[in-house]
Amino acid sequence: MIDLHMHSCYSEDGEYTPAELVAQCARKGIRMLSVTDHNCAKANEEAEKAAKAEGIAYIPGIEIDCTYQNTDFHVLGYDIDYRSVDFERIEENIAGQVREASLERLARTRELGFQVEESALRVLSQNSYWPDSWPGELFAEVLLSMPEYTGHPLLEPYRPGGKRSENPYVNFYWDYYAQGKPCYAKIDYPAMEEIIAVIHKNHGMAVLAHPGVNLRRKEFLLDEICGLGMDGLEAFSSYHSSEQAEAFCRKAQEKRMLITCGSDFHGKTKPAIRLGQHHCPLLQRPGSE
């Protein structure tokens, strides 16, 4: 079994340490993995060492936020030189913007009618590698725990039994904090072309992450993106239907690109997603769905 997309505590929304992730992969029978944190390559040294101890093949990775045609995307970088200063610069660029963006999200959340205090957010983020970053998932965790908002109509879909309750924190993020949503706070991400170039400069391969998510209603951009030097498509993802996976496989084959698979496991922010859950029938063991 293979899983090439997962997040550790070096992502603002990841739960486990790199070594803990590797241990969980070992228990699940995953024999090849990559830890692909958001805009940070620091998990790779620990993960690589832990994987070697478990006899698991390890591919250094990262997932970088970027933009193309005014749309936010995620690009996975595989087999990169993770010690390169280029990835430190990418991390520093994002870290320099997250505080202001977090405060903007807080203001917009209050505009929805929720009285959230900074102190409540800080309690949850204080031990994070990104303590000044308050993503939408963090707001969801705080709001869903506040007794005064029990029964609030905006939160009901995310509570047990609600139509958005399968992954409540990240669904709340997608519904309110993603690009184009009411609480979105803009961060100036690098251009996709720049990120592909950085990955290639550091001997890596650039793969478009979960294209079925970021290309929704913008499918016409896919051919252009493939022409930017992208090496592969993450055709098999926990977010993709079998029809979507088949379509992305066909596109990758047509363009002579790599086909990859990844669960996008985070831990508590996406509890319905399990390690190894990417729906690729050739690379999963029966019952891993």
Side-chain angles (χ1 to χ4, degrees):
M1 187 157 54
I2 295 172
D3 193 340
L4 301 181
H5 188 164
M6 63 187 72
H7 294 268
S8 80
C9 58
Y10 285 97
S11 290
E12 62 183 3
D13 51 0
E15 181 177 2
Y16 300 104
T17 67
E20 288 170 339
L21 274 181
V22 171
Q24 290 186 46
C25 287
R27 289 195 294 271
K28 282 189 166 288
I30 291 171
R31 307 312 304 161
M32 178 180 290
L33 69 91
S34 182
V35 177
T36 52
D37 283 312
H38 295 296
N39 308 303
C40 180
K42 289 191 170 65
N44 284 289
E45 185 171 2
E46 179 182 336
E48 188 170 46
K49 186 179 299 183
K52 183 177 181 180
E54 293 282 0
I56 297 174
Y58 186 76
I59 299 174
I62 191 170
E63 183 177 24
I64 305 174
D65 287 271
C66 59
T67 61
Y68 182 72
Q69 297 292 352
N70 300 311
T71 302
D72 293 344
F73 288 94
H74 294 171
V75 171
L76 294 155
Y78 289 120
D79 207 19
I80 55 170
D81 175 6
Y82 60 83
R83 295 182 178 88
S84 168
V85 68
D86 291 328
F87 299 113
E88 291 182 17
R89 292 188 183 116
I90 287 169
E91 179 182 333
E92 289 166 1
N93 172 48
I94 302 302
Q97 300 183 66
V98 294
R99 173 64 176 160
E100 185 176 344
S102 295
L103 291 174
E104 185 175 345
R105 291 185 195 112
L106 176 59
R108 291 178 181 269
T109 302
R110 288 171 174 169
E111 289 171 6
L112 290 179
F114 295 114
Q115 295 309 306
V116 181
E117 298 299 325
E118 281 192 43
S119 58
L121 295 160
R122 289 187 183 282
V123 166
L124 290 180
S125 70
Q126 62 183 340
N127 295 320
S128 168
Y129 182 73
W130 302 82
D132 292 326
S133 181
W134 305 334
E137 295 92 335
L138 197 71
F139 282 93
E141 189 172 356
V142 168
L143 289 170
L144 289 168
S145 70
M146 294 175 71
E148 58 265 46
Y149 295 127
T150 300
H152 194 290
L154 289 185
L155 298 178
E156 283 305 291
Y158 311 95
R159 298 195 186 279
K163 63 181 181 180
R164 300 287 282 161
S165 63
E166 185 181 31
N167 285 309
Y169 297 162
V170 74
N171 283 340
F172 192 72
Y173 155 75
W174 280 329
D175 293 344
Y176 288 96
Y177 297 85
Q179 189 176 24
K181 302 299 182 177
C183 299
Y184 175 69
K186 187 179 188 307
I187 287 180
D188 291 321
Y189 296 123
M192 183 180 286
E193 299 94 321
E194 178 184 340
I195 292 309
I196 292 172
V198 168
I199 291 169
H200 288 167
K201 175 187 172 186
N202 288 284
H203 317 296
M205 295 169 288
V207 173
L208 186 65
H210 41 61
V213 174
N214 298 104
L215 281 168
R216 193 171 293 137
R217 292 184 293 278
K218 293 192 176 184
E219 290 81 2
F220 61 91
L221 291 176
L222 183 55
D223 280 322
E224 295 180 27
I225 289 172
C226 290
L228 298 177
M230 194 74 70
D231 299 296
L233 299 177
E234 187 181 49
F236 294 99
S237 167
S238 56
Y239 308 118
H240 292 169
S241 67
S242 57
E243 292 78 16
Q244 286 177 305
E246 184 179 349
F248 291 127
C249 279
R250 286 198 304 268
K251 178 60 70 175
Q253 290 168 338
E254 171 193 326
K255 301 288 186 181
R256 298 179 180 273
M257 300 170 73
L258 298 171
I259 296 170
T260 71
C261 58
S263 64
D264 198 16
F265 177 82
H266 283 67
K268 69 178 181 178
T269 62
K270 299 180 181 180
I273 295 176
R274 298 178 296 281
L275 286 165
Q277 180 187 343
H278 47 64
H279 312 304
C280 179
L282 299 178
L283 299 175
Q284 291 186 158
R285 294 196 302 188
S288 64
E289 292 291 306

